[in-house]
């Protein structure tokens, strides 16, 4: 009897631990030994994976990603790229044309669970494993794998010989356990984009011919043995092959790159983070890459204070890949760029350390929480650099207006798809890009407009501090913003994430001192209305939406506003009664800041500008 009481008491005390922010997650610990065969561009790997099932489910199957298999003719990536209306020119029909020796593959030579063979089959880019001994809840098992891989010619992100001559860009290169979370398995085939992984520790040893310099995720363990700018000590005599030993803690992926020509700049940032820069010296690189360390340190300072502290001891900017792609503790970027472009891509990829590497939302489902948030914050960082005159360009009061306008144009094209669409399932690459990058950024801009800047800034920091290393979903993000602002925001989330409905408000008329406003678009929004009087004075009127259950407290872009009565969304019209007569007014405008993503701005102004009719012959 006593024992039962103790158990009940314990359970009662434990309950608060099961709040949202303590959602369970799986855990991995990889130990890998890689032997590189330069002639064949192949590697032989041994992988030991300690896998911890923290769920309350018994797992009868597990799945691994075999990303390299995408680079074979007729793969899902190949066919999608050849049938989509707007193919990525980096892929186009290049996979279909690969010769056998140029293709990528990952083959499994053996796989054991706790020392016993398991059944598996390779289905495209996914390894399906059926377990005879299931993995019980709250237990750990060890998978031992022997695998072989061929590094494809660089097509997308990963591969050999990128267009700037980097020999090996090694992303998505090892069999990687798919994520299993509260929404089940995420065995997404590699069709186009977006990644999701399990956090854990990596211990990776790579054996390469001595001419090669390796950069990547993690901390090099044998610096003195390696030299190459990692250590002041250059070893006198190297064996023909060198083992590079890296360890990385609490990351959900591991990237590396190898080239004999890499030069490394090591820079200690203001917060102690070691920044590494690996590039191939030359006319198109050296000058700009040498300027990069000081600039990125300044970026890190801004990011740490606005979006939360960087959590890892090191970060490497590595010339490689086919544009810019984010990985834990590192990025692969093409390096032959103007300074502004080099800084731009470096800042964007660094921002992914926050939204993908440390927050780690499921990018397939919530791509906009990664790309959109990275774009928004990177834009803020770039604007700050311009403000500090660290890079050329005019700083703007609001650096997101270009994206707001871009979104409006695309929304009107009829080709928009809802943000909630799975990253691989968009009908066109443009629709994906506009949703995840542009509308994702615009979503934050609209949110800031709705809740005010202080609540927004505090919310962004709180979001990071609450959800760091916990895979937040869209609801988790909006709950933080609700708490930060004291406003209800579910209506905005539903409209902006789940639909392609648009915002359109208009000023219809003014009689006496009463302005008639109309909601034409389906998305309800609070309105900032500015009245400019003929005497030169400006008056700001703020109309909250009733469903918000409150109002924003301040707004840098909309000073000294008078809070008016709520607008109830079911009512298409609203009467705004003010103290100024029409005759004394020069102009009335809805959202003079142009932040509101209103798809028709012509009717936001009253009296309407007179359109001159021009006779055309
Ligand atoms: Zn990105």
């Amino acid at each position: 009897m006593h024992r039962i009481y103790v158990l009940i008491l314990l359970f009662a005390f434990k309950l608060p631990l099961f709040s949202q922010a303590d959602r369970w997650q799986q855990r991995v610990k990889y130990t890998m030994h890689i032997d590189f065969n330069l002639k064949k561009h192949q590697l032989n790997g041994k992988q030991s994976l300690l896998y911890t099932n923290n769920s309350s489910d018994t797992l009868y199957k597990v799945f691994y990603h075999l990303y390299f298999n995408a680079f074979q003719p007729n793969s899902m990536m190949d066919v999608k790229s050849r049938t989509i209306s707007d193919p990525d020119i980096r892929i186009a029909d290049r996979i279909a044309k690969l010769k056998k020796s140029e293709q990528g593959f990952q083959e499994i030579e053996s796989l054991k669970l706790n020392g016993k063979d398991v059944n598996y089959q390779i289905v495209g880019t996914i390894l399906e494993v059926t377990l005879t001994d299931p993995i019980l809840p709250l237990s750990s098992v060890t998978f031992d794998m022997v695998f072989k891989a061929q590094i494809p010619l660089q097509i997308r992100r990963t591969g050999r010989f990128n267009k700037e001559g980097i020999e090996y860009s090694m992303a998505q290169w090892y069999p990687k356990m798919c994520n299993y979370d509260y929404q089940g398995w995420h065995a997404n085939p590699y069709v186009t984009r977006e990644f999701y992984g399990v956090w854990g520790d990596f211990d990776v040893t790579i054996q390469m011919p001595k001419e090669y310099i390796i950069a990547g995720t993690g901390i090099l363990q044998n610096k003195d043995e390696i030299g190459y700018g990692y250590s002041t000590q250059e070893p006198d005599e190297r064996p023909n092959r060198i083992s590079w030993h890296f360890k990385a803690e609490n990351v959900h992926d591991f990237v590396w790159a190898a080239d004999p020509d890499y030069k490394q700049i090591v820079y200690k940032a203001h917060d102690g983070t070691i920044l590494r820069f690996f590039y191939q010296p030359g006319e198109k690189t050296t000058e700009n890459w040498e300027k990069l360390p000081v600039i990125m340190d300044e970026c890190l300072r801004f990011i740490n204070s606005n979006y939360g502290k960087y959590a890892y001891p090191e970060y490497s900017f590595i010339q490689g890949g086919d544009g810019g792609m984010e990985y834990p503790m590192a990025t692969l970027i093409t390096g032959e760029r103007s300074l502004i472009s080099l800084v731009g891509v470096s800042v964007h990829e660094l921002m992914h350390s926050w939204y993908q590497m440390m927050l780690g939302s499921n990018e397939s489902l919530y791509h906009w929480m990664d790309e959109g948030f990275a774009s928004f914050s990177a834009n803020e960082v770039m604007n700050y650099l311009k403000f500090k005159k660290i890079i050329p360009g005019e700083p703007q009061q609001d650096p997101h207006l270009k994206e707001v306008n871009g979104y409006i144009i695309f929304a009107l094209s009829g080709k928009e798809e809802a943000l909630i669409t799975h990253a691989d399932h968009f009908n066109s690459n443009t629709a994906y890009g506009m949703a995840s990058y542009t509308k994702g950024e615009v979503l934050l801009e609209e949110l800031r407009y709705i809740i005010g800047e202080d609540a927004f800034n505090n919310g962004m920091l709180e979001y990071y501090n609450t959800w760091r290393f916990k895979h937040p979903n869209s609801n988790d993000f909006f709950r933080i913003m609700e708490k930060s602002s004291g406003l209800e925001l579910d209506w905005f989330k539903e409209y902006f994430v789940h639909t392609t409905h648009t915002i359109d408000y208009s000023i219809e008329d003014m009689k006496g001192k009463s302005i008639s406003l109309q909601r034409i678009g389906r998305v309800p929004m609070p309105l900032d209305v500015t009245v400019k009087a003929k005497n030169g004075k400006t008056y700001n009127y703020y109309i909250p939406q009733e469903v918000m259950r409150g109002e924003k407290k301040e707004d840098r872009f909309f000073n000294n506003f008078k809070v008016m009565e709520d607008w109830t969304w079911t009512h298409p019209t609203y009467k705004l009664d003010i103290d100024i007569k029409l005759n004394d007014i020069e102009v009335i405008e809805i959202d003079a800041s142009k932040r509101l993503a209103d798809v028709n701005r012509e009717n936001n102004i009253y009296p309407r500008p007179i359109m001159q009719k021009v006779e055309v012959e």
Side-chain angles (χ1 to χ4, degrees), residues 519-560:
R519 177 173 61 78
I520 299 167
R522 285 185 61 181
V523 182
M525 285 293 263
L527 290 192
D528 293 355
V529 180
T530 298
V531 174
K532 266 189 201 151
K534 284 181 179 156
N535 66 7
K537 283 189 180 162
T538 298
Y539 304 89
N540 286 336
Y541 301 93
Y542 169 55
I543 309 171
Q545 275 291 333
E546 193 182 83
V547 282
M548 291 160 59
R549 305 287 158 212
E551 61 270 338
K552 65 180 163 192
K553 301 290 177 289
E554 49 66 49
D555 193 335
R556 175 164 62 101
F557 299 91
F558 191 63
N559 288 320
N560 303 321

Short mmCIF file of all heavy atoms in Angstrom, two decimals, residues 519-560:
data_model
loop_
_atom_site.label_atom_id
_atom_site.label_comp_id
_atom_site.label_asym_id
_atom_site.label_seq_id
_atom_site.Cartn_x
_atom_site.Cartn_y
_atom_site.Cartn_z
N ARG A 519 -13.27 45.29 -45.44
CA ARG A 519 -12.39 44.13 -45.60
C ARG A 519 -12.81 43.41 -46.87
O ARG A 519 -13.94 42.94 -46.97
CB ARG A 519 -12.49 43.18 -44.41
CG ARG A 519 -11.63 41.92 -44.59
CD ARG A 519 -11.58 41.05 -43.35
NE ARG A 519 -12.89 40.54 -42.97
CZ ARG A 519 -13.51 39.52 -43.59
NH1 ARG A 519 -12.95 38.92 -44.62
NH2 ARG A 519 -14.69 39.12 -43.18
N ILE A 520 -11.89 43.33 -47.83
CA ILE A 520 -12.18 42.66 -49.11
C ILE A 520 -11.54 41.27 -49.13
O ILE A 520 -12.15 40.29 -49.52
CB ILE A 520 -11.67 43.52 -50.29
CG1 ILE A 520 -12.39 44.88 -50.28
CG2 ILE A 520 -11.89 42.80 -51.63
CD1 ILE A 520 -11.77 45.93 -51.17
N GLY A 521 -10.27 41.17 -48.68
CA GLY A 521 -9.58 39.87 -48.61
C GLY A 521 -10.12 39.06 -47.44
O GLY A 521 -10.77 39.61 -46.55
N ARG A 522 -9.86 37.75 -47.44
CA ARG A 522 -10.43 36.91 -46.39
C ARG A 522 -9.66 36.95 -45.07
O ARG A 522 -10.19 36.59 -44.04
CB ARG A 522 -10.56 35.46 -46.88
CG ARG A 522 -11.72 35.33 -47.86
CD ARG A 522 -11.97 33.91 -48.27
NE ARG A 522 -12.32 33.03 -47.15
CZ ARG A 522 -12.55 31.75 -47.29
NH1 ARG A 522 -12.46 31.19 -48.48
NH2 ARG A 522 -12.87 31.00 -46.25
N VAL A 523 -8.37 37.36 -45.14
CA VAL A 523 -7.57 37.35 -43.91
C VAL A 523 -7.85 38.59 -43.08
O VAL A 523 -7.62 39.70 -43.52
CB VAL A 523 -6.06 37.28 -44.24
CG1 VAL A 523 -5.24 37.21 -42.95
CG2 VAL A 523 -5.74 36.10 -45.15
N PRO A 524 -8.36 38.42 -41.85
CA PRO A 524 -8.56 39.58 -40.99
C PRO A 524 -7.21 40.06 -40.45
O PRO A 524 -6.34 39.24 -40.18
CB PRO A 524 -9.42 39.04 -39.84
CG PRO A 524 -9.47 37.56 -39.99
CD PRO A 524 -8.70 37.15 -41.19
N MET A 525 -7.05 41.34 -40.32
CA MET A 525 -5.83 41.90 -39.73
C MET A 525 -6.19 43.15 -38.96
O MET A 525 -7.13 43.85 -39.32
CB MET A 525 -4.81 42.26 -40.82
CG MET A 525 -4.10 41.09 -41.45
SD MET A 525 -2.98 40.22 -40.33
CE MET A 525 -1.42 40.97 -40.74
N PRO A 526 -5.41 43.45 -37.90
CA PRO A 526 -5.58 44.75 -37.26
C PRO A 526 -5.09 45.83 -38.23
O PRO A 526 -4.24 45.54 -39.08
CB PRO A 526 -4.66 44.67 -36.04
CG PRO A 526 -3.64 43.64 -36.39
CD PRO A 526 -4.31 42.66 -37.30
N LEU A 527 -5.63 47.03 -38.13
CA LEU A 527 -5.24 48.06 -39.09
C LEU A 527 -4.58 49.26 -38.42
O LEU A 527 -5.04 49.74 -37.37
CB LEU A 527 -6.45 48.57 -39.88
CG LEU A 527 -7.08 47.62 -40.90
CD1 LEU A 527 -8.06 48.40 -41.78
CD2 LEU A 527 -6.04 46.91 -41.76
N ASP A 528 -3.50 49.73 -39.04
CA ASP A 528 -2.86 50.99 -38.67
C ASP A 528 -3.35 52.02 -39.69
O ASP A 528 -3.04 51.90 -40.88
CB ASP A 528 -1.33 50.89 -38.80
CG ASP A 528 -0.71 49.94 -37.79
OD1 ASP A 528 -1.44 49.42 -36.92
OD2 ASP A 528 0.52 49.72 -37.88
N VAL A 529 -4.09 53.01 -39.24
CA VAL A 529 -4.60 54.02 -40.17
C VAL A 529 -3.98 55.38 -39.83
O VAL A 529 -4.01 55.80 -38.67
CB VAL A 529 -6.14 54.11 -40.11
CG1 VAL A 529 -6.66 55.17 -41.10
CG2 VAL A 529 -6.78 52.75 -40.41
N THR A 530 -3.39 55.99 -40.84
CA THR A 530 -2.74 57.29 -40.63
C THR A 530 -3.53 58.39 -41.35
O THR A 530 -3.87 58.23 -42.52
CB THR A 530 -1.30 57.25 -41.18
OG1 THR A 530 -0.57 56.27 -40.45
CG2 THR A 530 -0.61 58.60 -41.02
N VAL A 531 -3.80 59.45 -40.63
CA VAL A 531 -4.50 60.59 -41.24
C VAL A 531 -3.53 61.77 -41.26
O VAL A 531 -3.00 62.17 -40.22
CB VAL A 531 -5.77 60.97 -40.43
CG1 VAL A 531 -6.39 62.24 -41.00
CG2 VAL A 531 -6.77 59.81 -40.47
N LYS A 532 -3.28 62.28 -42.47
CA LYS A 532 -2.42 63.46 -42.60
C LYS A 532 -3.32 64.67 -42.80
O LYS A 532 -4.07 64.72 -43.78
CB LYS A 532 -1.48 63.30 -43.81
CG LYS A 532 -0.15 62.72 -43.44
CD LYS A 532 0.82 62.78 -44.60
CE LYS A 532 1.93 61.76 -44.39
NZ LYS A 532 2.47 61.28 -45.65
N ALA A 533 -3.22 65.62 -41.86
CA ALA A 533 -4.07 66.80 -41.97
C ALA A 533 -3.38 67.86 -42.82
O ALA A 533 -2.17 67.83 -43.02
CB ALA A 533 -4.35 67.34 -40.57
N LYS A 534 -4.19 68.79 -43.33
CA LYS A 534 -3.64 69.85 -44.19
C LYS A 534 -2.70 70.78 -43.40
O LYS A 534 -1.85 71.43 -43.99
CB LYS A 534 -4.78 70.64 -44.84
CG LYS A 534 -5.43 69.85 -45.98
CD LYS A 534 -6.54 70.61 -46.65
CE LYS A 534 -7.13 69.76 -47.79
NZ LYS A 534 -8.50 70.15 -48.10
N ASN A 535 -2.88 70.81 -42.07
CA ASN A 535 -2.00 71.67 -41.26
C ASN A 535 -0.64 71.02 -40.99
O ASN A 535 0.16 71.52 -40.21
CB ASN A 535 -2.70 72.04 -39.94
CG ASN A 535 -2.92 70.82 -39.04
OD1 ASN A 535 -2.44 69.72 -39.33
ND2 ASN A 535 -3.65 71.02 -37.96
N GLY A 536 -0.40 69.87 -41.62
CA GLY A 536 0.91 69.22 -41.50
C GLY A 536 0.99 68.19 -40.39
O GLY A 536 1.95 67.45 -40.30
N LYS A 537 -0.03 68.08 -39.55
CA LYS A 537 0.00 67.11 -38.45
C LYS A 537 -0.43 65.72 -38.92
O LYS A 537 -1.20 65.59 -39.87
CB LYS A 537 -0.91 67.58 -37.31
CG LYS A 537 -0.30 68.69 -36.48
CD LYS A 537 -1.15 68.96 -35.25
CE LYS A 537 -0.53 70.08 -34.42
NZ LYS A 537 -1.49 70.65 -33.49
N THR A 538 0.08 64.73 -38.21
CA THR A 538 -0.26 63.34 -38.55
C THR A 538 -0.94 62.69 -37.34
O THR A 538 -0.49 62.88 -36.21
CB THR A 538 1.03 62.56 -38.89
OG1 THR A 538 1.60 63.17 -40.04
CG2 THR A 538 0.74 61.11 -39.22
N TYR A 539 -2.00 61.95 -37.59
CA TYR A 539 -2.72 61.26 -36.51
C TYR A 539 -2.78 59.77 -36.83
O TYR A 539 -3.16 59.38 -37.93
CB TYR A 539 -4.14 61.82 -36.37
CG TYR A 539 -4.17 63.32 -36.14
CD1 TYR A 539 -4.19 64.21 -37.22
CD2 TYR A 539 -4.14 63.83 -34.84
CE1 TYR A 539 -4.19 65.58 -37.01
CE2 TYR A 539 -4.14 65.21 -34.62
CZ TYR A 539 -4.16 66.08 -35.72
OH TYR A 539 -4.16 67.44 -35.51
N ASN A 540 -2.41 58.95 -35.83
CA ASN A 540 -2.42 57.50 -36.04
C ASN A 540 -3.55 56.84 -35.26
O ASN A 540 -3.70 57.06 -34.06
CB ASN A 540 -1.08 56.89 -35.59
CG ASN A 540 0.03 57.19 -36.58
OD1 ASN A 540 -0.22 57.43 -37.76
ND2 ASN A 540 1.27 57.15 -36.12
N TYR A 541 -4.35 56.04 -35.97
CA TYR A 541 -5.47 55.31 -35.37
C TYR A 541 -5.23 53.81 -35.54
O TYR A 541 -4.96 53.34 -36.65
CB TYR A 541 -6.79 55.71 -36.03
CG TYR A 541 -7.07 57.19 -35.91
CD1 TYR A 541 -6.68 58.07 -36.93
CD2 TYR A 541 -7.69 57.71 -34.78
CE1 TYR A 541 -6.90 59.43 -36.81
CE2 TYR A 541 -7.92 59.07 -34.65
CZ TYR A 541 -7.53 59.93 -35.68
OH TYR A 541 -7.74 61.27 -35.56
N TYR A 542 -5.35 53.10 -34.45
CA TYR A 542 -5.07 51.66 -34.47
C TYR A 542 -6.37 50.90 -34.22
O TYR A 542 -7.04 51.11 -33.20
CB TYR A 542 -4.03 51.36 -33.41
CG TYR A 542 -3.80 49.91 -33.10
CD1 TYR A 542 -3.47 48.99 -34.11
CD2 TYR A 542 -3.87 49.44 -31.79
CE1 TYR A 542 -3.24 47.66 -33.81
CE2 TYR A 542 -3.64 48.11 -31.48
CZ TYR A 542 -3.32 47.23 -32.50
OH TYR A 542 -3.09 45.91 -32.21
N ILE A 543 -6.72 50.00 -35.15
CA ILE A 543 -7.96 49.21 -35.01
C ILE A 543 -7.59 47.75 -34.77
O ILE A 543 -7.22 47.04 -35.70
CB ILE A 543 -8.83 49.31 -36.28
CG1 ILE A 543 -9.03 50.78 -36.68
CG2 ILE A 543 -10.16 48.59 -36.08
CD1 ILE A 543 -9.68 50.97 -38.04
N PRO A 544 -7.65 47.27 -33.52
CA PRO A 544 -7.32 45.85 -33.26
C PRO A 544 -8.42 44.94 -33.81
O PRO A 544 -9.55 45.39 -34.00
CB PRO A 544 -7.27 45.77 -31.74
CG PRO A 544 -7.39 47.16 -31.22
CD PRO A 544 -8.04 47.98 -32.29
N GLN A 545 -8.08 43.70 -34.06
CA GLN A 545 -9.10 42.69 -34.39
C GLN A 545 -9.63 42.15 -33.06
O GLN A 545 -8.85 41.86 -32.15
CB GLN A 545 -8.48 41.54 -35.19
CG GLN A 545 -8.42 41.79 -36.69
CD GLN A 545 -9.79 41.79 -37.35
OE1 GLN A 545 -10.72 41.15 -36.87
NE2 GLN A 545 -9.90 42.51 -38.47
N GLU A 546 -10.93 41.96 -33.00
CA GLU A 546 -11.53 41.45 -31.77
C GLU A 546 -10.94 40.10 -31.36
O GLU A 546 -10.71 39.84 -30.19
CB GLU A 546 -13.05 41.32 -31.98
CG GLU A 546 -13.83 41.11 -30.71
CD GLU A 546 -15.31 40.94 -31.02
OE1 GLU A 546 -15.72 39.82 -31.36
OE2 GLU A 546 -16.03 41.94 -30.96
N VAL A 547 -10.66 39.22 -32.37
CA VAL A 547 -10.14 37.88 -32.06
C VAL A 547 -8.76 37.90 -31.40
O VAL A 547 -8.30 36.88 -30.89
CB VAL A 547 -10.06 36.97 -33.31
CG1 VAL A 547 -11.43 36.43 -33.68
CG2 VAL A 547 -9.39 37.67 -34.48
N MET A 548 -8.08 39.04 -31.44
CA MET A 548 -6.78 39.14 -30.78
C MET A 548 -6.92 39.21 -29.26
O MET A 548 -5.98 38.93 -28.53
CB MET A 548 -6.03 40.41 -31.24
CG MET A 548 -5.58 40.37 -32.68
SD MET A 548 -5.23 42.04 -33.34
CE MET A 548 -3.98 42.62 -32.22
N ARG A 549 -8.12 39.65 -28.79
CA ARG A 549 -8.36 39.80 -27.34
C ARG A 549 -7.34 40.72 -26.70
O ARG A 549 -6.80 40.43 -25.62
CB ARG A 549 -8.36 38.44 -26.63
CG ARG A 549 -9.31 37.41 -27.18
CD ARG A 549 -10.75 37.72 -26.85
NE ARG A 549 -11.65 37.03 -27.79
CZ ARG A 549 -12.81 37.50 -28.18
NH1 ARG A 549 -13.26 38.65 -27.71
NH2 ARG A 549 -13.55 36.84 -29.03
N GLY A 550 -7.05 41.81 -27.37
CA GLY A 550 -6.10 42.78 -26.83
C GLY A 550 -5.51 43.60 -27.96
O GLY A 550 -6.01 43.54 -29.10
N GLU A 551 -4.45 44.33 -27.68
CA GLU A 551 -3.83 45.12 -28.75
C GLU A 551 -2.33 45.23 -28.53
O GLU A 551 -1.84 44.99 -27.43
CB GLU A 551 -4.46 46.52 -28.81
CG GLU A 551 -4.32 47.37 -27.56
CD GLU A 551 -5.49 47.20 -26.58
OE1 GLU A 551 -6.58 46.77 -27.00
OE2 GLU A 551 -5.29 47.45 -25.39
N LYS A 552 -1.63 45.60 -29.61
CA LYS A 552 -0.19 45.80 -29.45
C LYS A 552 0.05 47.00 -28.55
O LYS A 552 -0.76 47.93 -28.50
CB LYS A 552 0.50 45.95 -30.80
CG LYS A 552 0.13 47.19 -31.61
CD LYS A 552 0.90 47.19 -32.94
CE LYS A 552 0.28 48.17 -33.94
NZ LYS A 552 0.79 47.99 -35.30
N LYS A 553 1.19 46.97 -27.84
CA LYS A 553 1.46 48.01 -26.86
C LYS A 553 2.26 49.17 -27.46
O LYS A 553 2.17 50.30 -27.01
CB LYS A 553 2.23 47.44 -25.66
CG LYS A 553 1.48 46.30 -24.94
CD LYS A 553 0.26 46.80 -24.19
CE LYS A 553 -0.52 45.68 -23.53
NZ LYS A 553 -1.25 44.80 -24.46
N GLU A 554 3.09 48.86 -28.43
CA GLU A 554 3.95 49.89 -29.03
C GLU A 554 4.28 49.49 -30.46
O GLU A 554 4.08 48.33 -30.84
CB GLU A 554 5.24 50.08 -28.22
CG GLU A 554 6.00 48.78 -27.88
CD GLU A 554 6.60 48.01 -29.03
OE1 GLU A 554 7.28 48.66 -29.86
OE2 GLU A 554 6.39 46.79 -29.13
N ASP A 555 4.78 50.45 -31.23
CA ASP A 555 5.21 50.14 -32.58
C ASP A 555 6.14 51.24 -33.07
O ASP A 555 5.73 52.39 -33.20
CB ASP A 555 3.99 50.02 -33.51
CG ASP A 555 4.35 49.39 -34.84
OD1 ASP A 555 5.52 49.49 -35.25
OD2 ASP A 555 3.46 48.79 -35.46
N ARG A 556 7.36 50.85 -33.32
CA ARG A 556 8.38 51.80 -33.77
C ARG A 556 7.99 52.48 -35.09
O ARG A 556 8.34 53.61 -35.37
CB ARG A 556 9.71 51.05 -33.94
CG ARG A 556 10.85 51.85 -34.53
CD ARG A 556 12.17 51.14 -34.29
NE ARG A 556 12.22 49.82 -34.93
CZ ARG A 556 12.86 49.59 -36.09
NH1 ARG A 556 13.46 50.57 -36.73
NH2 ARG A 556 12.90 48.36 -36.59
N PHE A 557 7.23 51.74 -35.90
CA PHE A 557 6.86 52.25 -37.23
C PHE A 557 5.53 53.03 -37.19
O PHE A 557 5.07 53.51 -38.22
CB PHE A 557 6.71 51.09 -38.22
CG PHE A 557 7.96 50.30 -38.40
CD1 PHE A 557 8.22 49.20 -37.60
CD2 PHE A 557 8.89 50.68 -39.37
CE1 PHE A 557 9.38 48.47 -37.77
CE2 PHE A 557 10.05 49.95 -39.53
CZ PHE A 557 10.30 48.84 -38.73
N PHE A 558 4.89 53.08 -36.03
CA PHE A 558 3.55 53.64 -35.95
C PHE A 558 3.40 54.30 -34.58
O PHE A 558 2.82 53.73 -33.65
CB PHE A 558 2.54 52.49 -36.15
CG PHE A 558 1.12 52.91 -36.36
CD1 PHE A 558 0.75 53.68 -37.46
CD2 PHE A 558 0.13 52.53 -35.46
CE1 PHE A 558 -0.57 54.06 -37.65
CE2 PHE A 558 -1.20 52.89 -35.65
CZ PHE A 558 -1.54 53.66 -36.75
N ASN A 559 3.95 55.51 -34.47
CA ASN A 559 4.09 56.14 -33.15
C ASN A 559 2.78 56.73 -32.63
O ASN A 559 1.92 57.13 -33.40
CB ASN A 559 5.12 57.27 -33.23
CG ASN A 559 6.51 56.70 -33.35
OD1 ASN A 559 6.85 55.71 -32.71
ND2 ASN A 559 7.32 57.30 -34.22
N ASN A 560 2.67 56.82 -31.31
CA ASN A 560 1.60 57.56 -30.63
C ASN A 560 0.21 57.27 -31.21
O ASN A 560 -0.53 58.18 -31.53
CB ASN A 560 1.84 59.07 -30.73
CG ASN A 560 3.19 59.43 -30.13
OD1 ASN A 560 3.60 58.86 -29.12
ND2 ASN A 560 3.89 60.34 -30.79
#
